[in-house]
Amino acid sequence: MSTPRIPGITNLSRRGLLTAGGALGAGVLLTACGGGKSADGSDSGSSGGSWAFKDDRGETAKAGKAPKKVVAFTGSAAALHDFGFDCAGVFGPTKLKDGKPDPQAGDLDVGKVTILGNAWGEFNVEKYAAMGPELLVTNMIQGQELWYVPDDSKKKILGLAPSVGISTSKKSLTDVIGRYAELAKSLGADLQAKPVTDAKQRFEKASETLRKAARDHKGLKVLAASGSADMLYVSDPAVYADLTYFKQLGIELVVPDKVTGGFFESLSWENAGKYPADLILLDNRTATLQPKDLAAKPTWADLPAVKAGQITPWLSEPRYSYAGCAPLVESLAAAVDKAKKVT
């Protein structure tokens, strides 16, 4: 697998930007460990002592019983943890250089989980095999590509245990959350546990707050973007699950008209003002440039939203759980409520 390029490096690739550091799921209520079908008609859960889950590739992972030794992409493991299921191992951004949890790790105890890789292209296959894995779980951001599973060792990895891929692109946020809840439940998690129901209530309350803020500030234009040394990347709301959901709640998101690679439009800094916006959602992952880094760029400083101080952080690759996403919705609602029309 080739090394992805990240913001701050010329000719940023689509994968490079994505790796820098993205209606409530009715299927959750319909699918239990005792078997049945999800909202999309997929078989999941266990029946007669067996376990099966149909993923978003249309493939069905099967086992004699619900897997316990599950290894997952860090963000996937964090989402499952929020629903009450703990994975044995993870791969992907887990620890920062100072040893603290990466934002994608959420509430995982990174000191207790087995880390098979901490960066793009890292996956210790021997260590994975020695764990005796029963299931591998990860997101799918680009088609059916299993996120953070290296191409050069993919065949060997997938030969050691069944796998589940959850699609996170071109779907609404709640659909993706619903799929993770459905998977967690099939693995034995209790979705009626108080931490889970409390998180869901918080998410739903935050969503209504954002809906009201959008209604009260009708006409407010919001732009979601990532900054690098050479480019401003304007994201297409139709691709990102969170942006799609925000739009459903009434937020007027800027839609770029020259999207390349399926995710965003790349603007040189000379053209950074192409899309007037009142509020900027700025990608806050560690490898992207932040307001203090962009301050010296005249075209950034001249943007109306920047002049007005109307910039709010955007975690463009969230963990797909109610607990993980409620604070993000709350943050945007607060930013919208404070923002004024400046374009």
Side-chain angles (χ1 to χ4, degrees):
M1 176 177 286
S2 59
T3 302
R5 296 173 181 175
I6 60 176
I9 299 179
T10 309
N11 298 322
L12 177 67
S13 69
R14 171 179 59 181
R15 178 180 290 168
L17 180 60
L18 292 170
T19 58
L24 295 171
V28 176
L29 301 178
L30 299 177
T31 306
C33 294
K37 288 185 178 289
S38 69
D40 64 0
S42 61
D43 293 314
S44 65
S46 59
S47 179
S50 63
W51 176 88
F53 187 89
K54 188 174 182 180
D55 75 357
D56 293 339
R57 296 170 297 181
E59 298 183 9
T60 301
K62 297 179 180 179
K65 59 182 180 179
K68 296 300 180 186
K69 197 169 287 186
V70 177
V71 172
F73 167 65
T74 304
S76 301
L80 290 171
H81 171 81
D82 290 340
F83 284 115
F85 181 86
D86 288 319
C87 294
V90 297
F91 55 93
T94 307
K95 285 185 178 180
L96 301 175
K97 289 181 179 179
D98 61 6
K100 293 180 180 178
D102 186 277
Q104 291 199 60
D107 293 330
L108 289 178
D109 186 338
V110 298
K112 291 184 177 180
V113 69
T114 298
I115 300 173
L116 301 175
N118 198 56
W120 184 263
E122 292 181 2
F123 195 115
N124 191 321
V125 182
E126 291 72 22
K127 197 173 183 179
Y128 178 60
M131 291 180 68
E134 297 173 333
L135 181 69
L136 180 143
V137 179
T138 189
N139 292 333
M140 295 189 300
I141 296 177
Q142 296 172 275
Q144 294 190 351
E145 178 181 319
L146 296 177
W147 200 230
Y148 271 80
V149 175
D151 290 337
D152 56 5
S153 53
K154 177 180 176 181
K155 186 175 181 180
K156 186 178 292 185
I157 292 168
L158 298 184
L160 293 169
S163 61
V164 165
I166 301 295
S167 178
T168 64
S169 296
K170 298 183 179 179
K171 294 177 178 285
S172 179
L173 182 61
T174 46
D175 293 331
V176 184
I177 292 174
R179 286 294 277 159
Y180 268 106
E182 186 180 334
L183 175 58
K185 185 171 185 178
S186 80
L187 294 170
D190 179 8
L191 298 189
Q192 297 307 310
K194 193 172 188 303
V196 179
T197 58
D198 284 352
K200 183 177 180 181
Q201 288 173 4
R202 179 181 173 185
F203 177 85
E204 292 173 341
K205 181 179 178 181
S207 297
E208 288 309 309
T209 301
L210 180 56
R211 191 193 303 276
K212 182 179 184 302
R215 187 170 58 245
D216 293 345
H217 295 266
K218 189 171 179 61
L220 191 81
K221 291 183 173 156
V222 180
L223 180 143
S226 300
S228 75
D230 302 309
M231 297 282 181
L232 181 69
Y233 302 92
V234 179
S235 295
D236 181 1
V239 179
Y240 295 81
D242 56 344
L243 299 183
T244 295
Y245 185 58
F246 299 157
K247 194 170 181 180
Q248 289 171 344
L249 293 176
I251 297 298
E252 296 185 32
L253 283 149
V254 170
V255 179
D257 55 27
K258 291 186 178 178
V259 175
T260 55
F263 288 85
F264 47 77
E265 178 175 351
S266 305
L267 298 177
S268 66
W269 281 109
E270 290 78 9
N271 297 309
K274 177 179 178 179
Y275 299 106
D278 304 298
L279 174 65
I280 296 175
L281 270 171
L282 187 66
D283 192 339
N284 69 344
R285 289 173 296 174
T286 53
T288 61
L289 299 187
Q290 300 309 301
K292 61 180 176 58
D293 307 313
L294 297 170
K297 295 186 178 295
T299 51
W300 168 262
D302 284 341
L303 295 177
V306 175
K307 285 183 176 180
Q310 296 181 172
I311 308 165
T312 192
W314 174 39
L315 184 60
S316 61
E317 198 176 341
R319 71 184 200 265
Y320 296 99
S321 67
Y322 297 117
C325 292
L328 308 182
V329 180
E330 290 169 346
S331 176
L332 179 57
V336 170
D337 203 43
K338 293 176 183 175
K340 301 184 186 308
K341 282 285 295 177
V342 291
T343 60

